[in-house]
Amino acid sequence: MAIKGSSIIISLFGLIFFSSYSQSKTDSSIYKYPLLIDKIDSYVKEQKSKGFKGTVLVAKNNEIILNKAIGDSNLTTNSAFYIASVTKQFTATAILKLQEQSKLSINDPIAKFINEVPLDKKEITIHHLLTHTSGLANNYVTDGIKNREEAINAILSSRLEYNIGEKYGYSAEGYNLLAIIIELVSGETYENYISQNLLAPSNLNHTGFWGYEGSNLTNIASFNNPKTVKSLSRKVYRKGVSIANYGYKGGTGIFSTSQDLYKWINTIRYSDFLNPKSIQQLFKPHKNLKGDITNGVSYAYGWRVEYKNGELTQIRHGGLEDGLHDVYIRSYTNGEIIIVFSNSGVYEGKGKFNGKECWSIVLSTGLQDILENNKAKTTIKK
């Protein structure tokens, strides 16, 4: 489907709403931010009345202040959702890990790893794939393909949409190729490499992969749109079971929980999981999308990043998995995090988002506004 894994720009602001209406708040956070927590909680309840279903997590000063599930009695704070394009940041991190191990370089051409690359694509590098500047299309040509060579041929036989390195052009196929390169370099399946080298060291125990749900006991949130489910190809989803294939490797296909993503954000931002050079490359504004490099939004490696006066202020990304699950993450350098998962489809309320955006974008934007307003009031008081 054309909407699979579409990029929603997730901001790592740790918004994660958990359990059906149970809430996890530390005693200290209740005393530190009572008015802010009440305002956030009231806002979430208001959105529930408008149709929101999902989980929300919000953190301030690297401390979770709200963690709840709402709108569906079957949801808990431990419910998992497919994270769609947020998968790309895991793939990018895996590439940087392999670079740290001297198994590849981001400047390597794909022809170093893949045989018989067509002449017009020989100059594509790993960096081009990471930054969506390869010229490869975004037609999901690998959906349903289980054989690696067939997946490679499907991608490389497609014509380039523009000259290599010329501009930014979102490409799921580019990240499919990155997953294939991870397999070729590591000698493992994409799923095994990510599990052993990223998920396990980060204690992401409720995170897994499309086609391998049975190996993880995590409860995955239901798909609430029967019409959309029915429209999925039988090569990727059949009789209630997802089927592993190359269309769901690298650019989409991972499922996770709000608490696991919160741990993941803290792992890559506040630990030595990656060395300083890799961190710099991961969040560097490689391709400007809005404004300019020093004051604007750019694409990094699997993340959208926002800089002000040359300083990183926010990393974010979003994902929409086949119109069934969506997620948005916002993470700020001041320690605030928002993570929103939803299985309630497109927002149908009033305002600029009506009928245009999925719920995770709408809710995370509202939460961001609340946090910004709170920060402004605190500054005025000081």
Side-chain angles (χ1 to χ4, degrees), residues 222-264:
S222 62
F223 295 161
N224 290 330
N225 190 330
K227 183 177 180 180
T228 301
V229 172
K230 190 175 181 179
S231 69
L232 293 175
S233 167
R234 291 166 64 85
K235 293 181 179 180
V236 303
Y237 191 83
R238 186 176 183 182
K239 296 181 178 180
V241 178
S242 65
I243 301 170
N245 66 94
Y246 277 92
Y248 287 70
K249 290 176 185 266
T252 188
I254 287 179
F255 65 80
S256 191
T257 66
S258 52
Q259 293 179 84
D260 267 15
L261 284 187
Y262 178 72
K263 284 192 265 185
W264 171 244

Side-chain angles (χ1 to χ4, degrees), residues 161-221:
E161 295 288 301
Y162 52 88
N163 293 330
I164 299 168
E166 179 182 8
K167 63 180 182 179
Y168 172 93
Y170 185 85
S171 172
E173 279 89 325
Y175 270 78
N176 294 155
L177 266 188
L178 287 171
I180 288 169
I181 289 171
I182 289 169
E183 292 188 337
L184 293 171
V185 171
S186 69
E188 303 179 50
T189 65
Y190 171 80
E191 293 83 3
N192 283 344
Y193 185 83
I194 297 293
S195 294
Q196 296 302 315
N197 294 276
L198 276 66
L199 306 188
S202 305
N203 294 315
L204 307 188
N205 300 319
H206 302 288
T207 300
F209 304 90
W210 186 275
Y212 298 94
E213 294 94 333
S215 60
N216 190 306
L217 298 179
T218 301
N219 175 47
I220 298 177

